[in-house]
Amino acid sequence: MKYFAYTLLSLGLIFIAWQLYAYNSNKDFKTMDNNTLATIDDVEFRVYSHYTTASVPLSNNKMSSANGKFSVLAGYIFGGNKESQSIAMTSPVIYEMEEKSYFSFLMPESLTGEKLPVPNDPSIEFHDIVNQHVAVINFGGFANESKVKKYHKKLKLQLQQIGFTVDDKHIVAVYQPPYQLVGRKNEIWIELKEQELKDLVLSKK
């Protein structure tokens, strides 16, 4: 009985140590810069001046269809490219949920255009995003389909109540890798028209 208790205690301590290591090591990942323009209740309004994604298309608009895609993009940043160049991980990873959906890694700011290594996998695409205005709501835990649906619906309703014209397109931003079980952060982004944001929010500050 004592042996069983000691085993459980040892496994518990190993798990806690592993999670603390994961939590602290992931702090070293660079996070994409943004400019927060305003906050209304739990909705944050941001602008991203420029970023580049390495993206793989999804077969449908469900996050589950990204299963197996992580290894494609991870292979690319770990040297699976014509230059055999390793690329620093930037947080978050994003799921672009629209008519044609993508799973994407963010590229470091120093790698744009011709500086990006050519991927060995031809399914990888690069997208440049410039002057992107978004409304953001965050939630913890794992970003599963039901949670994403719940928070996307909540954000969409709040924006419509303010007066924004929005559709069902959205982005899911996930900040921690799957093996980190504690201290998780996720966000739903809905892209906004810059003029609507100025008229409905920024002009009233």
Side-chain angles (χ1 to χ4, degrees), residues 76-136:
Y76 171 68
I77 68 170
F78 292 144
N81 52 72
K82 303 301 182 185
E83 293 81 357
S84 300
Q85 178 180 343
S86 294
I87 301 169
M89 187 75 180
T90 302
S91 181
V93 299
I94 60 177
Y95 300 78
E96 301 167 71
M97 312 308 291
E98 48 187 88
E99 193 169 324
K100 185 174 182 180
S101 298
Y102 289 92
F103 174 59
S104 306
F105 280 12
L106 299 171
M107 296 292 96
E109 292 178 3
S110 59
L111 292 179
T112 57
E114 294 181 354
K115 294 181 180 179
L116 283 163
V118 177
N120 293 336
D121 191 319
S123 68
I124 296 175
E125 306 174 15
F126 296 101
H127 301 151
D128 275 324
I129 293 84
V130 179
N131 197 35
Q132 183 186 46
H133 293 74
V134 293
V136 178

Side-chain angles (χ1 to χ4, degrees), residues 29-71:
F29 290 164
K30 180 173 174 55
T31 304
M32 181 170 55
D33 293 332
N34 70 82
N35 181 20
T36 300
L37 303 176
T39 303
I40 298 177
D41 296 327
D42 55 351
V43 178
E44 191 176 329
F45 296 91
R46 299 177 189 163
V47 59
Y48 289 93
S49 58
H50 175 254
Y51 62 92
T52 302
T53 64
S55 307
V56 285
L58 301 180
S59 57
N60 54 45
N61 61 353
K62 293 184 179 296
M63 292 177 64
S64 58
S65 64
N67 293 341
K69 302 294 185 179
F70 187 95
S71 60

Side-chain angles (χ1 to χ4, degrees), residues 153-200:
K153 182 179 179 179
K154 179 181 179 182
L155 178 56
K156 182 179 177 182
L157 179 59
Q158 286 177 275
L159 293 175
Q160 288 173 331
Q161 289 173 340
I162 294 171
F164 284 100
T165 305
V166 293
D167 54 28
D168 285 333
K169 295 177 183 177
H170 61 285
I171 292 171
V172 185
V174 177
Y175 284 81
Q176 284 77 34
Y179 57 80
Q180 182 175 326
L181 305 182
V182 297
R184 297 189 64 81
K185 173 187 173 183
N186 314 284
E187 294 173 339
I188 303 293
W189 303 354
I190 291 180
E191 192 164 357
L192 305 173
K193 295 176 182 177
E194 183 177 0
Q195 191 57 52
E196 276 196 336
L197 179 58
K198 289 178 179 177
D199 294 342
L200 296 171

